[in-house]
Structure formats: structure tokens, C-alpha cells
Amino acid sequence: MKGKHIVLGITGGIAAYKAAALVRLFVKAGAEVQVIMTPNAREFITPVTLSTLSGKPVITEFFTANTGEWHSHVDLGLWADAFVVAPATASTIAKMANGVADNMLVTSYLSTRAQVFVAPAMDFDMMQHPTTTRNIATLRADGCRIIEPAEGELASHLVGKGRMEEPENIFREIDDFFNLTAGMKGTKLLITAGPTYEKIDPVRFIGNYSSGKMGYAIANEAAARGADVVLVSGPVGDSLQVHPGVKLVKVESAVQMLEAAAEAFQAADIAILSAAVADYRPAREYDRKIKREKDGIESLELVKNPDIAATLGASKHPGQILVGFALETDHELDNAAEKLRRKNLDMIVLNSLRDKGAGFGVTTNKVSLIYADGRERTDFPLKTKTEVAADILDAIATMKP
Ligand code: CTP
């Protein structure tokens, strides 16, 4: 935490008074804190309290009224090593999720490249409302870490989920993040993601339902932790975003994916192979569209594609960590253990299509991690793919030579 730059956004909720304790914890740990308040937050806690604790003038407006000095949201966003919004009201969460940049806090949020932490605080019914649920899900998908509110008595005297997490716990979560980042900084990671398309002719291909979401989540999480990431991606939809620290290499077929992955693997410390590679490709690729009547094709001859994981596993040198995935429909544990051995992997991430919410297309996953070093398997509950990505990287951190 020492020397880290924290932007702390405070919004207009009763929990704003707790932000003072949070500023103190950061400052005591040696961090520099720049507070941004929304106009409403000033109704709950005074800027004087926060500027005294942080040792810096608090920013609430785009301009200082008496001098006309402009506060650059871009500079602030780039200055931050962590961007924390605590407490985050339903309104600010909605603005962040939708890019409504009508105050200094949301504008700075849109300009930051730092990891963003959001600690919601609101009444029980507002927290449960489908709108809030949807907006929080959007923030998660955009890479924000949500610090879940605790249950307890709320300002309305209703009892339920909505109380901002205690400042000590918010502080610990951000401190843990910096420690993890320090562990990954400069680590070279190769990730494969998405499906592969195997061309039949200029308009047709053999492919699969992989969305690439899991691999992109791992790449973005690793980049947020400071790793140098090469993401070799098969064809995925345009909606998947990549963190600025990720080098994206787009490929189409398994043969192209092997070529790009083998090259990046030479310099990699860790490779995580989440792509759903097509096992077969057509033996012949037509350079013109196949015509139903004229060509009268009855069947396609297929040839086996290279196994990227097994190829990298065979060339792995000491110190490199190779992680694969196994998406199974039956005999899950046996199949995963067999793949771990056959491909010379160090760990395999097992997900079963029998589990609701796991597998292709969805934003959640339920995985088990199986290790080659003989340690016991870990089973995780259903989580978002971003959270699963964090679990996988945490597990790999424990394996680092
Ligand atoms: N894999 C790969 N290259 C392939 C096939 C698979 O790199 N040609 C990788 C996947 O990215 C994944 C792991 O190997 O990390 C397991 O993939 P899976 O498709 O389950 O394995 P297969 O060897 O194809 O086994 P099977 O078809 O028998 O399920």
C-alpha cells in the first residue's frame, strides 16, 4: 500500500461518514489519497473533514468556483493505482454502468485505467431492485470489483443487505489486490480463448458454441494484476472488451492458433489454454462456394487438428506453468485427470455441462481445479466468470516456482 495512489469517490449516502475512517486507514498505510465527492455527498460529510484526513483538497466540481481552476478528470484517472467508490449509491452505480458522466466522480471513473472497487450502500429494497442488480452486473462485467454490502440494520431501520462493508474490510480487499498485483507484475502470460473456425468453403465453417468469455475474463484479470498478457483469440463477438495491457492476436483456425500460441509460449511463464479448439477440420478447403446441385457433396472428409495443449506440454521447459480446461458432459473427473496427464498440464480447470450456469455462452461458471502436483482438488461454487478468473490466477500464484 505504501506510495500507492488511491482515488476515493464518496457519494451521497448515510455511509459517507465511514469514508473518513477509510481515508485514515489508507493514509496510515502510506498511501496518497485524493478524495472526489459527488455534490450530494457534501450533505453527509464535510469536505473539510476529508481534506484534513487526506492532506489534499477535496474535489467536487470540474472547476474551483473562485479561481476557475480546471480539475482534469483524465489526469486524476491516470494518477490512480486504485479507484475506490465507497459508499456507492444506487444512483452513482447506475451512472457508472451507463456512462452518465455528469459529475467529476463518474467522469474520472470513465478516464481511469486503474482497478475499480465499488462498495454499494443503500436501502434493502433499492439493493434488491432489478435495476440495481442489472447495473451491478454491468459493472462486474466491465471489470469492477464489487465489495459486497453486509447485512444489518439500515438507515431506514429495515434489516437486510445494503450496509456498506466496514472500512477495515474494504481496506483489506484493496491491500490484498496490491499484494496480488505485485506478485504478477512482469509475469508473461499466454491465454487462448474462443472457438476455432475450420473453413469448408468461403461461406461455411465447422465451429462450436464457445463465446470466449472465460478466456477474456482471465486475460483482463491478469492484465489488471500487472501481467504482460498475450491473448490468442478465435472468432468471438465484438462485445468482448480487452484491458489495455492485453496484446490481442486474432486467429481463425486451430492451425493458426497453434502457430500464434507456440510463438508466444517461448517467452511465457504461464499459459492458460481456455480455447475450445475444433478437433477436426475439413480435409479439403474449397476456394469457391460448394453448390448443392453441381457439387452434390454427400459427406465431408475430416482430418485431425493439432492438439495445441499437448504440443505446448511436450515442449514445456522447467519453470513454465501450463493450465488447460476440460468441459465435460459425463465422467467429468476421470476425463479431466486423463487430459491433465496426456497433455502434460500442471493444472486443469474442470467445468461440467451438467452444472446449471456453467459452460458456453453464459456469464457464470462453476469449476473445480485439479492439480498435477498431487495436492487436493478444489471445488468452487457458481461464480461470475470474472470471479472464476481471479480464483484461477490465485491458484496459479500458489504454484509459481
Ligand atoms: N486443446 C487444445 N488443442 C486442441 C484441443 C484441445 O489446446 N486441439 C486444449 C483446450 O484448450 C483445453 C484442453 O486442451 O485446455 C482440453 O480440451 P478438450 O477439447 O476438452 O480436449 P480434447 O483433447 O479435445 O478431448 P476430447 O475431445 O476427448 O474431449
Side-chain angles (χ1 to χ4, degrees), residues 183-222:
M184 274 236 129
K185 213 162 212 101
T187 303
K188 292 191 163 49
L189 233 91
L190 158 68
I191 294 162
T192 66
T196 63
Y197 284 0
E198 311 298 330
K199 254 194 186 155
I200 299 170
D201 69 12
V203 295
R204 303 180 181 94
F205 60 86
I206 298 174
N208 59 66
Y209 290 121
S210 170
S211 64
K213 284 181 182 148
M214 192 64 247
Y216 276 64
I218 299 171
N220 290 339
E221 175 70 21

Side-chain angles (χ1 to χ4, degrees), residues 83-355:
F83 193 103
V84 185
V85 185
T89 56
S91 159
T92 290
I93 288 171
K95 287 182 183 182
M96 288 169 71
N98 293 286
V100 181
D102 66 350
N103 63 35
M104 191 62 190
L105 176 55
V106 181
T107 319
S108 303
Y109 162 68
L110 293 180
S111 303
T112 196
R113 294 181 192 169
Q115 178 61 54
V116 178
F117 296 84
V118 178
M122 66 196 77
D123 203 51
F124 175 70
D125 292 301
M126 293 174 81
M127 187 72 207
Q128 299 305 312
H129 198 279
T131 309
T132 309
T133 308
R134 192 169 60 236
N135 288 333
I136 288 181
T138 302
L139 290 186
R140 269 191 218 283
D142 290 344
C144 296
R145 283 168 200 255
I146 307 297
I147 303 177
E148 289 290 339
E151 294 206 10
E153 191 180 339
L154 304 166
S156 59
H157 303 300
L158 288 173
V159 175
K161 194 173 166 186
R163 250 166 72 140
M164 187 177 85
E165 185 50 278
E166 291 305 325
E168 290 74 16
N169 294 339
I170 297 176
F171 172 84
R172 195 168 323 119
E173 186 141 338
I174 293 153
D175 194 38
D176 285 351
F177 169 77
F178 282 133
N179 292 336
L180 280 173
T181 311
M184 274 236 129
K185 213 162 212 101
T187 303
K188 292 191 163 49
L189 233 91
L190 158 68
I191 294 162
T192 66
T196 63
Y197 284 0
E198 311 298 330
K199 254 194 186 155
I200 299 170
D201 69 12
V203 295
R204 303 180 181 94
F205 60 86
I206 298 174
N208 59 66
Y209 290 121
S210 170
S211 64
K213 284 181 182 148
M214 192 64 247
Y216 276 64
I218 299 171
N220 290 339
E221 175 70 21
R225 292 183 182 194
D228 291 338
V229 182
V230 177
L231 172 62
V232 179
S233 170
V236 296
D238 294 338
S239 65
L240 291 185
Q241 304 281 326
V242 284
H243 185 284
V246 173
K247 182 180 171 218
L248 180 63
V249 181
K250 286 189 169 176
V251 296
E252 190 169 292
S253 67
V255 169
Q256 290 167 355
M257 187 175 274
L258 172 64
E259 198 180 316
E263 193 192 322
F265 190 58
Q266 289 175 16
D269 302 301
I270 299 164
I272 305 174
L273 308 176
S274 70
V277 185
D279 285 330
Y280 297 93
R281 67 178 183 276
R284 161 170 183 203
E285 185 188 317
Y286 287 77
D287 54 13
R288 56 161 183 87
K289 188 178 172 195
I290 299 170
K291 295 303 233 183
R292 183 161 55 170
E293 300 305 330
K294 205 168 90 201
D295 293 312
I297 288 179
E298 298 284 332
S299 61
L300 275 178
E301 193 193 334
L302 300 176
V303 292
K304 250 191 190 165
N305 264 331
D307 186 328
I308 301 168
T311 309
L312 301 188
S315 73
K316 187 169 73 171
H317 52 73
Q320 279 185 310
I321 295 175
L322 190 58
V323 176
F325 271 72
L327 175 61
E328 304 293 339
T329 56
D330 57 272
H331 300 94
E332 289 88 346
L333 287 172
D334 288 346
N335 285 339
E338 186 272 327
K339 280 176 192 169
L340 183 75
R341 272 192 306 277
R342 175 161 50 90
K343 301 183 188 225
N344 196 24
L345 306 173
D346 300 286
M347 183 173 94
I348 194 155
V349 183
L350 166 65
N351 40 186
S352 170
L353 273 187
R354 282 199 278 191
D355 284 323

